Amino acid sequence: MRWLRILLLASVVNLGIQSGLFAKSTRETIEYALPRVVKLFGAGGLRGLAGYGTGFLVSKDGHIATAWSHILDADQVSVVLDDGRRFEAKLIGAEPQLDIAVLKIENLTTELDHFELSTAKTVAVGQRVLAFSNMFNVAAGDEPVSVLHGVVAAKTDLAARRGAFQIPYDGPVYIMDAITNNPGAAGGIVLTRTGELVGVIGKEVRNARSNTWVNYAIPLPVLTKTIDAIIAGTYVEDEKPDEDAPDRYRPLDFGLVMVPDVVFRTPAYIESVLPGTAAASQGLQPDDLVLFVDNELVQSARELKRKLGALESGDRFEMIVRRKNRLITIQLTAPKKSDQ
Amino acid sequence: MTHLHFSKTIASLFCVHVALIMLGTSVCHAEDLEEAEEKAFREAAALAEPSIVRIQTVGGLDRVGQILAAEGPTTGVVVSSDGFVITSSFNFVNQPTSIVVRHPDGRPLPAKIVATDHSKMLTLLKVDADDLTPAVTAPAEEIRVGQWALAMGRTFDENLPSVSVGIVSALDRIWGKAIQTDAKTSPVNYGGPLVDIQGRVMGVVVPLSPQGTDEAAGVEWYDGGIGFAIPLADINRVLDRMKKGEDLHRGLLGVSFPGASGLLGVDPTIDRVRVNSPADKAGIESGDVLVKIGDTDVASQSEIKHAMGKYYAGDRLSITVKRGEENISADIELVAELAPYESGFLGILPERQSSENAEGVGVRYVFLDSPAAKLGLKNRDRIVAFDKTETPNAEVLLDLVSRMQPGDTASVTWSSEGKPNTKEVELAAIPDQLPDELRSVAIVPAGDAVERPEVGHFSGTIPDGEMTYWAYVPDGYNPAASYGLMVWIHPNDDTMEAAILNKWRVICEQRGLILLAPRAENITRWTLPETAVVKQLVEKFLADYSIDQDRVFVHTMAEGGPFGLQLVLKNRDLFAGFSGVGTPLRGKLPENDPDFRQQFQFIVGPDDPLKPRINASVEALRKLKFPATLQEIDGLKSGIYPEKADVESLAIWADLLDRI
């Protein structure tokens, strides 16, 4: 039956060449993807940090996209293909805000199979996907990386943290229902079962809201422009936006005296309302619990302070408070400030 | 497209035409199936979506036990159009101040908790709405192991529920209560539905564990390929009760079985029947073999637990036991709580060193106004028979008395100055008050010829462990006598070695007490895993010294309290008591169990801010019928250890641990 297998492989390659599409089934997608995903070996090994990771080929000249991580801190990073060929690669550019980096294999003499970034696609919740990664470093030599299958569980903004630190990327991500984000998996790729590019596997992080590990991938359409620009040598890192805007308003500016903020999560109860203020004229009362500001849940007194602090002069906003068992919606406007 | 591609291939490879047609067709079918399944997932999710609501909470605890309470949104399932939503109790473990349910159209609706099913860890919420879309229930008999199962939540995105796809892994799990799935379940979708491929709700996702029973049990397994959902069909059956505000509890029978309880217990022979329990009222006796619960035949302890899993307190059912050759059936009504077990009390302290040739239990001390005092028992009398047992030793007598209740009667035979007496005694409850004075018993020091383990004040390291300790063994230690063991658990940041030694040294000599003080690996605080190491250390001392099992206790103060309490409650066979200075109880209390008698002592100053909580602790323990003593020491400041003069009264409590 050996000849049959060879014929089948031949037919798959044939398909790719003829149509520009590569695969139509899970099995074909896996066969297509495995040679294009590489194992990376670089810095690390200290304090439990893995010295290995995953990347994927994005050009015939040996450009490799991967997650921005400590393994790239080495002068050179070793790249091992699925057939065991080993190359040295150099970091040519990175965008930490997007958690993406691009390497290039040096002294490459042949052309390599690679993914076409232009086939990156947006997918829906419930869609089946395949994730390819060098997780747990189980494939060190002439063997391909591991394949996981699952569905896209959710699309969401990443509200996660890495250890105690926020990771810089906070844009949209796909959440997978498979345990894709393992040690070494960052920089791996997620494809649909029919072979379209979906996203890049991110690092191991916890969801700050549910305290669970998140299995996520950054959508490739968010990254392709940056990757292309790094390859073309035209990429310029954006300047960091000013993150520490001053608190302009306090609850008092609206006539609200809040209950003392004693514990980490003191609910935003109104202690009293100053007469003659906007809050009073809108009918706010002592013991009202502020639940939403502009439809966003206010978890604590601290958060209310933060939300009000970020308002601009003249901003109109909606506040929903709970009084007994009723929700009451009121409109407020941030007062003009003379000193601004 | 697929067919086109393959026909091109086939044309180019005409020599193996036939083989490839075969191959091509099978591949095509696989593709169709994959595509059809993917479409079905999305359709099922879309069908279930209108019944899935987002729940947001405000306020509440930051930390629940070992878990950092998350503040993210959670999920619920609509069960009736007029505003009832069922969800996982886990979502409210942090006791939020306020709960808001989002109508699927985006409107925030204030919600209140209507009822909780403590057996299945579900909470019913009510919102003021009449246009909700209730979930369609998947009939229980149609759910099969191996079928597709989608665990859904509404926590990531308000508009689009999240979907995790798996299969039904097992039915009737967790003592018959839950569907098991390999779809990923976690705090991200607890309270959300487990949906079948037709979009019907099979169950509500909850964290569960076969062992644990609290709201957060099983959370550590999140996303581990083992998840549980309570069948919606089962929930519907009790929904009317819950809508009326009735909390549901696990139904208890009031029997226990020998050996380790849990999964491995095989023998369904009833060991003990709790007084006033449903089983007791139905005439079930110790030694009966439980053979049938409701309509289910049972042959092992785990089958019994399984069969009981679906019943609630208040349910009526018939049970059958085998007594000898006879089958006896009884109708019973299950209860939520069994009356706490209360041990009886005779009112004596037994002699510790049994005089040679003497039989029975020598009386060291008779408590004022106790049943023993009313009988006329005096110091140095000997109890030679109790009930049907001849010449009991102190251990046997304690066991006999502990297993009886206050008010029970038994005949006692004792000899007083050579004269035998027999009388009926009515047992009392163990008093919470201590006598003001209690003479210590002189221990004859060991002679020089006796070989003794290390005595005096010394330090050591536990073998195979990192833990160090210090200890004080009375200089006159005599292996022929029996000693009490006080395990000192120091508060945070200070071992208090000098102070404790100074205040207890003389007492240790006088009252025959060994002092053992482990040091926390990190002196700033004790960690839970260290309970195992301390246990090991205590066992070493029990092996090396002559220690009376009934007088091993933990003594601690301030922040040492929670750890000391864990130690005592986790090792009920090892510790007979807990004595804490300025520290209240925390967490769930165990049931009083005559097999493991435990006594408590709380020491507090009049102005200690923790005093109300310490009072409440004593109350709670007494409600559970544990002997609990409250010692108020004049002028004792919060965070300060009592003066030497006051320590004497603490020692009296320790000296009374073996009272019968």
Side-chain angles (χ1 to χ4, degrees):
Chain A
M1 293 297 279
R2 193 182 153 82
W3 57 275
L4 250 181
R5 195 176 118 85
I6 293 165
L7 270 176
L8 183 74
L9 283 176
S11 69
V12 173
V13 173
N14 213 357
L15 280 173
I17 293 165
Q18 284 183 16
S19 64
L21 277 172
F22 346 93
K24 267 292 167 186
S25 74
T26 300
R27 194 178 52 167
E28 287 169 307
T29 297
I30 292 171
E31 284 178 10
Y32 163 76
L34 287 176
R36 291 164 170 83
V37 183
V38 301
K39 296 151 289 196
L40 299 180
F41 301 91
L46 279 174
R47 285 184 296 161
L49 293 174
Y52 53 93
T54 315
F56 54 96
L57 287 153
V58 291
S59 82
K60 65 177 175 16
D61 305 323
H63 287 97
I64 295 165
T66 183
W68 169 242
S69 83
H70 65 272
I71 69 163
L72 307 177
D73 286 347
D75 287 343
Q76 282 195 320
V77 176
S78 291
V79 176
V80 181
L81 266 47
D82 70 320
D83 57 10
R85 274 186 289 168
R86 177 180 279 269
F87 301 99
E88 294 303 317
K90 263 215 159 93
L91 180 69
I92 61 163
E95 171 48 285
Q97 288 290 330
L98 292 176
D99 215 23
I100 192 80
V102 178
L103 306 171
K104 185 174 186 309
I105 294 175
E106 299 181 306
N107 309 320
L108 190 67
T109 50
T110 56
E111 294 188 349
L112 294 177
D113 291 337
H114 62 277
F115 292 108
E116 289 294 345
L117 285 178
S118 58
T119 64
K121 167 183 175 183
T122 307
V123 291
V125 170
Q127 192 150 351
R128 280 182 160 171
V129 287
L130 297 163
F132 298 81
S133 74
N134 181 25
M135 60 175 186
F136 298 112
N137 198 19
V138 290
D142 62 343
E143 67 242 88
V145 295
S146 306
V147 189
L148 267 65
H149 102 281
V151 301
V152 172
K155 274 198 260 189
T156 185
D157 279 343
L158 189 64
R161 58 175 179 211
R162 182 153 200 249
F165 305 100
Q166 295 283 148
I167 70 162
Y169 181 76
D170 61 358
V173 293
Y174 293 118
I175 305 288
M176 253 77 64
D177 78 341
I179 312 298
T180 51
N181 296 55
N182 291 300
I189 191 158
V190 178
L191 305 179
T192 64
R193 62 170 184 85
T194 51
E196 291 119 333
L197 276 56
V198 174
V200 179
I201 299 173
K203 291 171 186 140
E204 293 169 273
V205 291
R206 269 179 193 268
N207 183 332
R209 289 186 292 190
S210 65
N211 270 311
T212 52
W213 292 98
V214 205
N215 296 290
Y216 74 98
I218 300 178
L220 255 168
V222 176
L223 305 174
T224 43
K225 226 173 72 192
T226 307
I227 298 173
D228 284 341
I230 293 174
I231 292 174
T234 58
Y235 183 70
V236 188
E237 209 173 310
D238 284 348
E239 269 183 43
K240 281 195 180 165
D242 181 17
E243 282 168 9
D244 303 314
D247 283 356
R248 291 184 197 85
Y249 294 96
R250 294 164 303 149
L252 210 54
D253 294 327
F254 301 89
L256 296 173
V257 179
M258 307 305 294
V259 296
D261 184 13
V262 282
V263 295
F264 176 63
R265 222 179 279 164
T266 307
Y269 278 108
I270 296 172
E271 174 133 339
S272 59
V273 179
L274 301 183
T277 59
S281 68
Q282 293 297 322
L284 284 173
Q285 294 177 9
D287 286 341
D288 284 352
L289 173 65
V290 180
L291 281 182
F292 297 93
V293 167
D294 271 347
N295 243 357
E296 271 185 66
L297 187 72
V298 174
Q299 296 265 2
S300 62
R302 211 160 292 184
E303 211 169 297
L304 177 70
K305 244 166 127 180
R306 209 162 34 234
K307 289 217 160 93
L308 296 183
L311 291 168
E312 299 280 352
S313 177
D315 276 356
R316 279 185 67 75
F317 63 99
E318 189 185 80
M319 191 184 267
I320 299 180
V321 299
R322 179 175 188 156
R323 184 177 302 156
K324 300 258 160 51
N325 206 34
R326 278 186 310 138
L327 295 188
I328 295 157
T329 307
I330 59 146
Q331 304 286 339
L332 285 171
T333 306
K336 294 264 189 295
K337 283 216 162 180
S338 50
D339 57 345
Q340 280 179 22
Chain B
M1 282 296 280
T2 310
H3 291 276
L4 186 65
H5 285 157
F6 271 91
S7 55
K8 276 180 186 172
T9 314
I10 288 159
S12 66
L13 296 163
F14 56 91
C15 58
V16 282
H17 205 134
V18 181
L20 264 179
I21 286 176
M22 285 164 60
L23 209 60
T25 353
S26 71
V27 170
C28 289
H29 282 171
E31 287 162 28
D32 291 348
L33 188 60
E34 283 181 349
E35 202 171 311
E37 278 172 350
E38 195 171 298
K39 192 159 159 265
F41 298 155
R42 291 205 291 260
E43 283 173 2
L47 282 169
E49 186 265 343
S51 313
I52 304 172
V53 292
R54 183 185 184 88
I55 301 169
Q56 287 160 309
T57 58
V58 172
L61 311 172
D62 300 332
R63 192 173 273 280
V64 180
Q66 296 290 305
I67 315 167
L68 192 67
E71 55 186 12
T74 58
T75 307
V77 179
V78 176
V79 284
S80 66
S81 58
D82 57 348
F84 285 99
V85 170
I86 194 93
T87 184
S88 164
S89 302
F90 172 81
N91 297 340
F92 311 112
V93 282
N94 64 341
Q95 300 159 24
T97 317
S98 195
I99 304 170
V100 176
V101 165
R102 282 276 187 172
H103 193 287
D105 70 13
R107 270 180 288 147
L109 305 162
K112 59 172 197 279
I113 292 178
V114 177
T116 303
D117 178 341
H118 295 277
S119 171
K120 293 175 176 166
M121 299 303 159
L122 295 164
T123 296
L124 186 68
L125 300 176
K126 176 74 170 75
V127 295
D128 199 10
D130 50 16
D131 58 346
L132 289 166
T133 310
V136 178
T137 310
E141 61 277 10
E142 287 182 30
I143 301 173
R144 299 264 184 276
V145 172
Q147 79 175 60
W148 289 116
L150 283 67
M152 297 184 64
R154 211 186 262 278
T155 56
F156 283 116
D157 187 304
E158 182 149 352
N159 304 314
L160 207 61
S162 61
V163 180
S164 167
V165 178
I167 59 166
V168 172
S169 307
L171 298 171
D172 270 346
R173 273 288 198 267
I174 314 283
W175 314 119
K177 288 188 257 189
I179 302 167
Q180 188 186 321
T181 181
D182 71 346
K184 302 297 178 287
T185 64
S186 73
V188 157
N189 55 20
Y190 291 148
L194 188 70
V195 173
D196 72 6
I197 201 75
Q198 280 115 298
R200 302 176 301 185
V201 174
M202 295 190 281
V204 175
V205 176
V206 289
L208 285 180
S209 119
Q211 286 84 33
T213 53
D214 62 346
E215 299 99 325
V219 174
E220 67 278 12
W221 291 346
Y222 80 83
D223 284 351
I226 181 161
F228 298 101
I230 303 295
L232 187 55
D234 291 353
I235 297 169
N236 290 337
R237 219 166 290 142
V238 291
L239 208 50
D240 283 338
R241 285 168 75 176
M242 292 183 81
K243 281 181 178 176
K244 288 186 201 126
E246 184 187 343
D247 282 342
L248 302 177
H249 295 269
R250 184 165 69 108
L252 300 175
L253 199 53
V255 298
S256 58
F257 299 93
S261 58
L263 295 163
L264 298 171
V266 177
D267 187 2
T269 306
I270 293 166
D271 180 34
R272 273 213 311 274
V273 178
R274 285 280 286 270
V275 178
N276 287 331
S277 67
D280 185 32
K281 286 177 188 158
I284 307 296
E285 294 174 4
S286 170
D288 291 352
V289 181
L290 199 46
V291 292
K292 201 166 184 182
I293 291 171
D295 299 326
T296 314
D297 291 327
V298 290
S300 69
Q301 286 179 30
S302 58
E303 277 179 31
I304 291 164
K305 208 170 167 192
H306 200 105
M308 291 300 299
K310 60 171 180 270
Y311 293 107
Y312 291 101
D315 286 352
R316 297 194 66 90
L317 65 142
S318 127
I319 62 165
T320 306
V321 295
K322 202 168 171 176
R323 186 176 301 160
E325 291 307 303
E326 199 187 350
N327 273 347
I328 301 165
S329 290
D331 276 320
I332 54 155
E333 186 178 327
L334 299 177
V335 293
E337 264 183 89
L338 299 170
Y341 191 91
E342 184 168 18
S343 296
F345 181 62
L346 182 58
I348 62 151
L349 279 180
E351 266 177 16
R352 286 178 190 148
Q353 278 162 299
S354 59
S355 339
E356 278 171 40
N357 306 325
E359 290 186 322
V361 180
V363 176
R364 171 188 158 205
Y365 174 83
V366 178
F367 285 77
L368 210 64
D369 298 329
S370 69
K374 285 173 193 154
L375 285 183
L377 271 164
K378 295 188 297 293
N379 294 1
R380 288 192 296 282
D381 288 356
R382 300 198 74 80
I383 294 170
V384 291
F386 184 85
D387 217 6
K388 290 161 200 139
T389 309
E390 300 283 334
T391 62
N393 60 23
E395 196 184 328
V396 171
L397 185 64
L398 174 63
D399 189 55
L400 290 171
V401 173
S402 292
R403 281 167 181 275
M404 292 174 74
Q405 304 266 305
D408 285 355
T409 56
S411 74
V412 187
T413 305
W414 75 99
S415 69
S416 183
E417 290 162 8
K419 277 177 284 178
N421 300 280
T422 301
K423 274 190 193 172
E424 282 284 303
V425 66
E426 186 182 328
L427 298 181
I430 301 177
D432 296 317
Q433 300 301 323
L434 302 182
D436 292 335
E437 274 179 60
L438 179 68
R439 277 228 314 262
S440 57
V441 191
I443 292 177
V444 184
D448 292 342
V450 181
E451 200 174 308
R452 301 190 305 168
E454 194 163 10
V455 301
H457 178 209
F458 60 92
S459 294
T461 304
I462 184 164
D464 314 322
E466 297 291 304
M467 185 175 278
T468 62
Y469 63 90
W470 64 272
Y472 180 75
V473 178
D475 288 324
Y477 173 76
N478 184 347
S482 73
Y483 287 79
L485 178 68
M486 175 169 116
V487 180
W488 166 247
I489 298 298
H490 64 74
N492 291 353
D493 298 319
D494 188 359
T495 65
M496 293 173 63
E497 181 165 345
I500 292 298
L501 184 65
N502 172 4
K503 286 174 179 169
W504 282 86
R505 184 172 200 145
V506 175
I507 290 170
C508 286
E509 292 286 350
Q510 284 173 347
R511 296 197 181 265
L513 204 56
I514 291 173
L515 211 165
L516 171 61
R519 297 187 185 99
E521 199 175 318
N522 176 350
I523 194 178
T524 58
R525 63 189 186 97
W526 292 90
T527 64
L528 216 51
E530 284 174 302
T531 52
V533 194
V534 176
K535 179 182 180 225
Q536 213 181 324
L537 182 62
V538 171
E539 280 166 348
K540 176 183 146 57
F541 266 63
L542 288 177
D544 292 352
Y545 294 90
S546 166
I547 290 167
D548 182 357
Q549 279 276 3
D550 293 324
R551 287 188 290 138
V552 180
F553 68 100
V554 162
H555 185 52
T556 181
M557 78 174 282
E559 312 92 340
F563 180 79
L565 194 70
Q566 278 294 318
L567 201 58
V568 167
L569 296 182
K570 269 189 162 180
N571 303 291
R572 300 184 71 176
D573 52 337
L574 211 56
F575 293 100
F578 170 88
S579 157
V581 178
T583 180
L585 290 186
R586 261 156 262 220
K588 226 177 184 172
L589 293 172
E591 275 187 11
N592 196 358
D593 183 337
D595 281 347
F596 306 114
R597 188 171 81 159
Q598 290 188 321
Q599 308 182 48
F600 294 81
Q601 179 188 41
F602 295 87
I603 301 105
V604 65
D607 305 320
D608 195 317
L610 286 172
K611 203 179 150 203
R613 287 185 56 200
I614 291 171
N615 285 341
S617 304
V618 173
E619 288 296 305
L621 283 164
R622 286 181 183 167
K623 222 171 137 190
L624 291 168
K625 305 295 181 191
F626 280 101
T629 305
L630 183 67
Q631 302 253 87
E632 200 175 306
I633 293 181
D634 279 344
L636 182 65
K637 295 268 183 302
S638 161
I640 304 292
Y641 194 81
E643 292 301 320
K644 216 167 187 171
D646 296 315
V647 173
E648 177 65 22
S649 65
L650 312 189
I652 289 178
W653 174 82
D655 211 354
L656 289 174
L657 282 171
D658 59 347
R659 59 187 158 168
I660 297 172

